[in-house]
Amino acid sequence: MTIEHDAVGIAVAQFAPGADANENLTTLAELASTAAERGAHVVVAPEYASYFVDPFDATLAANAQPLDGPFTRALATIAAQNDLTIVAGLVEQGTRDRVRNTAVAVDGTGVVAASRKQHLYDAFGQTESAWVEPGETGSVETFVVDGLRFGLMTCYDLRFPEVARTLVDAGADVVLVPAEWVRGPLKEFHWETLVAARAIENTIYIAAADHTAPIGVGRSMVVDPRGVQSAGIGPERGVAVGWASRSAIDEVRRANPALDLRRYRVEPTG
């Protein structure tokens, strides 16, 4: 594979978060160090990386943290040690007995962007909304690393193309997706198809990080603006690094100027 001169290394860090926040951080530190050694400047980790139990119960709210709490402060230390920006799923304190499912981006200075999951997983027999409050629609935060702009969305949001399009309208070149894509019939196919579709229709990079088996499908990956997977992992814990470049985006968009040719805009419904 040829790496462009302006390429930015993006790592997907795949593991199975659990109910021990310190253990989750230890794993994240190990994976982040590996990613940095392989040349990554940005790392995306799974959804619910700060705390996860299956099935959900009252401990979810009991272990929720503020946006600038211990988990993100520890992530900032890991980021500073490895010269990285790290994106991971945070169980953030919400209102009353529900939490926020937040994708948080942290560098050595602290939190640089945050995105609360907009579409909750009330599907395939699950009811995430019983425990989680949805994020506001139309609210977009991005951050820049080495000249590329990064946007955030979470897991089930992949099934709603409007979310990615909103991020592209805000200038995102790369969308990072922390996920807990639950196993089930055809779910691996859905995961791979939707990640590729969001990249193709927006001519952007998508980097999506899932939980390992047996709960998640694994298969974390980096996909380029043509929809081609440039890096990926199987079902096991690990790190894969893909490369994103402005010149590659420009080349794809010269051949396929779909964003310029579109005749519709996205507006939130509430």
Side-chain angles (χ1 to χ4, degrees):
M1 179 183 67
T2 301
I3 299 175
E4 302 290 341
H5 71 279
D6 61 343
V8 180
I10 304 169
V12 285
Q14 180 171 286
F15 73 105
D20 186 328
N22 290 328
E23 184 175 333
N24 294 338
L25 284 165
T26 297
T27 301
L28 275 166
E30 294 172 356
L31 296 175
S33 177
T34 299
E37 290 172 359
R38 296 181 185 175
H41 284 182
V42 178
V43 176
V44 56
E47 183 181 16
Y48 291 110
S50 68
Y51 184 85
F52 182 74
V53 290
D54 180 49
F56 285 166
D57 57 30
T59 64
L60 200 67
N63 286 274
Q65 298 186 19
L67 192 61
D68 60 349
F71 182 76
T72 52
R73 290 198 297 270
L75 274 188
T77 298
I78 296 169
Q81 291 170 340
N82 294 281
D83 190 24
L84 292 169
T85 300
I86 301 173
V87 173
L90 168 68
V91 179
E92 184 189 2
Q93 290 175 343
T95 57
R96 298 183 181 177
D97 58 349
R98 292 200 296 175
V99 302
R100 297 186 178 104
N101 183 342
T102 303
V104 60
V106 178
D107 66 11
T109 68
V111 176
V112 295
S115 172
R116 281 97 186 181
K117 188 175 185 179
Q118 296 183 38
H119 298 92
L120 300 182
Y121 189 56
D122 289 359
F124 298 98
Q126 306 292 318
T127 53
E128 188 179 29
S129 64
W131 307 96
V132 179
E133 60 183 65
E136 292 184 10
T137 57
S139 176
V140 175
E141 293 187 18
T142 63
F143 63 93
V144 175
V145 174
D146 295 342
L148 291 180
R149 186 168 296 277
F150 292 77
L152 309 171
M153 64 180 179
T154 302
C155 200
Y156 195 52
D157 284 333
L158 269 174
R159 292 185 180 271
F160 301 86
E162 299 85 0
V163 179
R165 183 55 55 86
T166 301
L167 293 169
V168 171
D169 283 345
D173 304 299
V174 184
V175 172
L176 306 176
V177 189
E180 203 290 282
W181 201 267
V182 180
R183 281 184 170 274
L186 296 177
K187 293 295 289 297
E188 291 93 341
F189 171 72
H190 291 182
W191 168 251
E192 294 174 347
T193 300
L194 290 166
V195 171
R198 299 294 84 85
I200 293 167
E201 69 198 6
N202 292 294
T203 55
I204 58 171
Y205 291 88
I206 302 281
D210 192 27
H211 288 219
T212 55
I215 295 177
V217 301
R219 305 194 187 191
S220 299
M221 69 188 84
V222 180
V223 174
D224 74 13
R226 301 168 299 165
V228 176
Q229 181 176 316
S230 62
I233 310 172
E236 70 283 351
R237 188 171 97 170
V239 171
V241 180
W243 302 88
S245 73
R246 167 68 54 202
S247 56
I249 294 171
D250 291 344
E251 180 181 355
V252 171
R253 290 180 177 175
R254 280 193 295 270
N256 176 25
L259 292 177
D260 291 336
L261 296 174
R262 63 190 171 129
R263 299 177 64 189
Y264 292 87
R265 292 291 181 266
V266 175
E267 295 182 2
T269 61

